[in-house]
């Protein structure tokens, strides 16, 4: 191996470890031959492989040597960015939200393939790491940083390396790790499909390259079928799913497809949520004493009460003005049996017989008067200045 096989900003390295994961930025840790101070964006070399990344400020020296940690690109996806709201009646573009997050993080976007190109007419970006904002804008699509320092959103491309570009030295089937001999490190990357000397094709999901003195080791983790997450994320996801298996947190949008007495039959809107349709769900509106017969096709928010108890779904919110089915078929307040009247509505007033005392033709008279029809027709002239009814 040539003496300058591994170098950072032209300074020779005695030891290097490069970790390239399925999702996120690659990270290079290197021990320099001397204590040359470094900061900012640097170019690293591992043989023919060149990598553009940024020195982690936490890097330091020990004795006559300096150890540096280099994060792909601008190294800024961990930076906490401020919250921001977006609104666009034509639909907030996912690319615009992602581009804003990249700019604040000091990163540069390459290919961008989100789950959905638009995020709705309104979108709220929470305060937090820029990478979280990127993933949220992309709808959970995987993201990664290439060797040139560009951030891409979407699956990594599948690569088929030439048969003579690598040699499989061993395959630990239990750990799902393939150890390789490679002359040019550009030949193998995450997404590469390995076939030589293997019983079945193996897809590289994570790559570890170690240079130690004159030794070069390349190990590829080929576990899992999920191309959207790496080994660590996959493990954390399984732990989280196991922990949350018995709880359903958050509020979920459902669509009304019919009433069942005073309860509602609902259909989940977002099938990818993994939640089923639910039947005979009770309403818990914010207005005490009110009950609605909902319009089929309208959307509601369903919450699982008592900390996400799957046996306690309840409707807590309804669409506001302008939403489909915004007006219910019927609204009943305080178990009323009679319809509400409005200003301008025609009303009938019952006129019972009544005693009169006065004069008739100038002569004193008393008696009982009875209306011929027993009622009169009129109209309501006044009503509440604040409460309006349909």
């Amino acid at each position: 191996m040539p003496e300058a096989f591994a170098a950072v900003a032209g300074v020779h390295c005695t030891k290097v470890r490069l970790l390239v994961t399925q999702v996120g930025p690659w990270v290079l840790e290197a021990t320099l031959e001397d204590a040359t101070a470094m900061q900012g964006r640097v170019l690293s070399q591992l043989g023919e492989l060149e990598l553009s990344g940024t020195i982690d400020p936490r890097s330091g020296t020990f004795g006559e040597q300096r150890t540096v940690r280099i994060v792909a690109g601008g190294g800024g996806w961990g930076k906490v960015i401020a919250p921001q709201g977006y609104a666009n009646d034509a639909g907030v573009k996912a690319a615009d939200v992602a581009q804003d997050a990249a700019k604040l993080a000091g990163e540069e976007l390459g290919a961008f393939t989100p789950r959905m190109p638009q995020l709705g007419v309104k979108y709220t970006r929470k305060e937090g790491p820029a990478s979280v904002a990127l993933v949220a804008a992309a709808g959970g699509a995987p993201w990664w940083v290439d060797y040139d320092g560009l951030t891409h959103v979407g699956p990594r491309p599948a690569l088929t390396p030439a048969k003579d570009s690598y040699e499989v030295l061993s395959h630990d089937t239990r750990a799902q790790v393939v150890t390789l001999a490679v002359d040019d490190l550009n030949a193998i990357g995450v997404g590469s499909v390995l076939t030589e000397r293997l019983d079945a094709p193996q897809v590289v999901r994570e790559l570890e390259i170690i240079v130690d003195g004159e030794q070069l080791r390349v190990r590829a983790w080929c576990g899992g079928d999920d191309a959207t997450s790496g080994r660590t994320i996959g493990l954390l996801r399984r732990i989280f799913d196991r922990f949350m298996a018995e709880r359903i947190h958050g509020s979920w949008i459902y669509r009304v497809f019919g009433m069942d007495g005073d309860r509602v039959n609902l259909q989940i809107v977002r099938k990818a949520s993994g939640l089923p349709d639910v039947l005979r769900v009770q309403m818990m509106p914010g207005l005490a004493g009110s009950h609605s017969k909902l319009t089929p096709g309208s959307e509601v928010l369903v919450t699982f009460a008592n900390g996400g108890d799957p046996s306690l779904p309840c409707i807590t919110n309804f669409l506001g003005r302008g939403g489909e089915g915004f007006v219910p078929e019927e609204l009943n307040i305080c178990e009323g049996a009679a319809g509400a009247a409005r200003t301008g509505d025609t009303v009938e007033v019952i006129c019972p017989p009544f005693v009169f005392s006065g004069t008739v033709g100038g002569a004193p008279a008393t008696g009982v008067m009875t209306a011929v029809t027993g009622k009169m027709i009129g109209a309501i002239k006044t009503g509440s200045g604040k409460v309006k009814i349909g």
Side-chain angles (χ1 to χ4, degrees), residues 259 262 283 285-295 318 325-341 387-390:
M259 298 292 297
D262 290 338
M283 286 183 274
L287 179 62
S290 68
H291 179 79
S292 298
K293 183 179 179 181
L294 302 179
T295 302
F318 308 86
F326 157 61
V327 179
E329 292 186 351
E330 182 181 298
L331 174 63
N332 190 302
I333 300 177
C334 296
E335 292 297 303
V387 180
K388 311 294 182 183
I389 58 175

Side-chain angles (χ1 to χ4, degrees), residues 298-380:
S298 62
E299 293 181 353
V300 297
L301 278 184
V302 172
T303 299
F304 291 82
N306 286 352
D309 189 335
S311 67
L312 294 175
C314 55
I315 298 172
T316 57
N317 298 85
F318 308 86
L319 275 180
R321 177 178 292 171
E324 183 178 352
F326 157 61
V327 179
E329 292 186 351
E330 182 181 298
L331 174 63
N332 190 302
I333 300 177
C334 296
E335 292 297 303
R342 305 163 299 173
T343 301
D345 282 352
T346 300
V347 294
E348 290 185 351
V349 180
I350 298 174
C351 299
F354 62 91
V355 177
F356 78 93
S357 176
T359 60
V360 177
T366 60
V368 177
M369 292 188 68
T370 302
V372 175
T373 60
K375 59 185 179 181
M376 293 188 297
I377 305 297
I380 298 175

Side-chain angles (χ1 to χ4, degrees), residues 18-24 26 46 49-51 144-147 155-162 165-167 178 180-195 202-209 218-223 227:
L18 172 65
L19 180 64
V20 187
T21 54
Q22 179 77 38
V23 176
W26 52 260
L46 299 180
L49 180 63
E50 293 187 345
L51 309 99
W144 48 284
V145 186
D146 65 17
Y147 293 145
R156 287 177 178 266
L159 308 171
T160 303
S165 64
Y166 69 95
E167 179 184 356
V178 178
L180 304 167
V182 180
D183 290 330
D184 184 355
L185 295 176
N186 287 291
I188 302 294
V190 174
S192 294
V193 181
L194 307 178
T195 56
Q202 302 291 317
V203 180
V204 178
R205 305 294 189 194
E206 188 172 293
L207 192 64
E208 182 185 48
I209 300 172
V218 179
R219 300 200 310 166
W221 180 70
C222 302

Side-chain angles (χ1 to χ4, degrees), residues 42-79:
V42 295
L43 185 67
S44 302
Q45 291 179 294
L46 299 180
E48 300 296 322
L49 180 63
E50 293 187 345
L51 309 99
S52 178
T54 300
I55 300 286
D56 188 326
R58 293 171 292 183
S59 303
T61 59
F62 179 75
E64 298 297 322
Q65 292 182 324
R66 177 177 294 274
T67 300
V68 294
R69 182 176 186 269
I70 303 169
V71 181
W77 283 118
K79 180 181 177 181

Side-chain angles (χ1 to χ4, degrees), residues 43-337:
L43 185 67
S44 302
Q45 291 179 294
L46 299 180
E48 300 296 322
L49 180 63
E50 293 187 345
L51 309 99
S52 178
T54 300
I55 300 286
D56 188 326
R58 293 171 292 183
S59 303
T61 59
F62 179 75
E64 298 297 322
Q65 292 182 324
R66 177 177 294 274
T67 300
V68 294
R69 182 176 186 269
I70 303 169
V71 181
W77 283 118
K79 180 181 177 181
V80 175
I81 59 178
Q84 182 173 332
Y86 297 82
N88 188 334
D89 288 340
V92 176
K93 294 181 179 179
D96 291 343
V97 178
Q99 195 65 253
D100 285 350
K103 183 177 180 180
L104 291 171
E107 299 287 354
E108 185 177 354
L109 285 183
F112 184 74
T113 309
R115 303 283 192 203
M116 297 292 291
Q118 292 183 325
L119 304 173
V121 297
K122 296 184 186 301
Y123 182 79
T124 302
R125 186 187 74 206
K126 298 192 298 184
E127 180 181 12
S131 60
V132 174
L134 177 69
V135 172
W143 68 282
W144 48 284
V145 186
D146 65 17
Y147 293 145
D148 292 328
L150 287 178
T151 298
H152 303 275
V153 172
R156 287 177 178 266
L159 308 171
T160 303
K163 294 182 179 180
D164 59 354
S165 64
Y166 69 95
E167 179 184 356
V168 174
L169 302 179
S170 66
H171 181 202
D172 186 335
T173 56
R174 184 172 181 179
Q176 298 177 297
V177 173
V178 178
T179 302
L180 304 167
V182 180
D183 290 330
D184 184 355
L185 295 176
N186 287 291
I188 302 294
V190 174
S192 294
V193 181
L194 307 178
T195 56
E196 295 303 296
R197 299 183 61 194
L198 297 170
D199 294 336
Q202 302 291 317
V203 180
V204 178
R205 305 294 189 194
E206 188 172 293
L207 192 64
E208 182 185 48
I209 300 172
I210 296 178
V211 178
D212 189 355
E214 296 185 354
Q215 293 185 345
L216 169 65
R217 297 196 301 274
V218 179
R219 300 200 310 166
W221 180 70
C222 302
D225 298 323
D226 185 6
T228 64
S229 64
R231 176 163 40 175
T232 303
I233 292 177
L235 177 60
L236 291 174
R237 182 175 294 168
R238 288 193 293 273
I239 294 173
F240 179 80
D241 290 344
R242 179 72 178 271
F243 177 75
M244 298 296 292
E246 298 181 357
R247 293 285 161 179
I248 304 174
H249 292 281
S251 297
W252 302 89
I253 300 176
Y254 274 81
R255 183 177 293 110
V256 176
F257 68 84
M259 298 292 297
D260 188 340
D262 290 338
R263 294 179 291 182
V264 191
N265 294 330
L266 300 170
Q267 181 183 53
I268 186 67
V269 170
R270 185 171 177 264
K271 297 295 185 182
S273 66
L275 295 177
D277 299 341
V278 287
L279 305 176
R280 298 183 292 278
V281 178
Q282 181 182 2
M283 286 183 274
M284 298 184 70
L287 179 62
S290 68
H291 179 79
S292 298
K293 183 179 179 181
L294 302 179
T295 302
S298 62
E299 293 181 353
V300 297
L301 278 184
V302 172
T303 299
F304 291 82
N306 286 352
D309 189 335
S311 67
L312 294 175
C314 55
I315 298 172
T316 57
N317 298 85
F318 308 86
L319 275 180
R321 177 178 292 171
E324 183 178 352
F326 157 61
V327 179
E329 292 186 351
E330 182 181 298
L331 174 63
N332 190 302
I333 300 177
C334 296
E335 292 297 303

